[in-house]
Amino acid sequence: MSAYQDKNARPLSLSGHVGFDSLPDQLVNKSTSQGFCFNILCIGETGIGKSTLMDTLFNTNFENFESSHFEPRVKLRAQTYDLQESNVRLKLTIVNTVGFGDQMNKQERQAYS
């Protein structure tokens, strides 16, 4: 008996190939079964197209709240959605910056030559 064998060790039967070359497949299978979490921070002025970009990226229509260009300060609005495509689940959180850049004075911009 070699130094690395133990009399009390139980035998392990493998159902398939185990090795470094199968590691990417194992990670894909694990991630697919557990699902993914994805967070996106959208920053930009009101009406610039943040919601349209998110709808286009994920090929869906997220609920959009109308907001005014005259918000007194910037507010963060987080919305979480559970999406599924084929057998892959996605927990998506979109954080929108309501009022960002809306109170900037854009009338007196200087042009640089």
Side-chain angles (χ1 to χ4, degrees):
M1 180 180 289
S2 72
Y4 295 109
Q5 292 179 345
D6 184 7
K7 291 179 188 178
N8 297 325
R10 62 185 176 139
L12 177 65
S13 61
L14 301 175
S15 60
H17 176 72
V18 176
F20 287 114
D21 61 336
S22 65
L23 188 59
D25 295 332
Q26 293 171 8
L27 290 174
V28 168
N29 292 338
K30 179 181 175 185
S31 298
T32 302
S33 65
Q34 290 180 348
F36 296 91
C37 291
F38 201 63
N39 301 318
I40 298 178
L41 174 63
C42 295
I43 300 175
E45 296 177 39
T46 302
I48 204 164
K50 300 179 299 291
S51 299
T52 303
L53 175 65
M54 292 300 107
D55 290 349
T56 304
L57 280 176
F58 295 99
N59 196 25
T60 189
N61 289 321
F62 296 113
E63 56 183 308
N64 298 315
F65 297 100
E66 298 261 342
S67 56
S68 166
H69 283 277
F70 303 104
E71 294 287 336
R73 61 180 160 238
V74 177
K75 295 183 221 168
L76 297 179
R77 180 181 293 143
Q79 297 168 282
T80 301
Y81 304 95
D82 292 317
L83 304 176
Q84 183 164 349
E85 182 177 331
S86 303
N87 61 343
V88 179
R89 291 175 301 151
L90 173 66
K91 181 180 177 183
L92 174 67
T93 301
I94 299 175
V95 180
N96 199 350
T97 54
V98 178
F100 179 84
D102 291 342
Q103 299 302 318
M104 291 175 51
N105 183 0
K106 300 171 194 122
Q107 297 298 322
E108 298 181 19
R109 293 178 122 173
Q110 293 182 354
Y112 296 99
S113 343

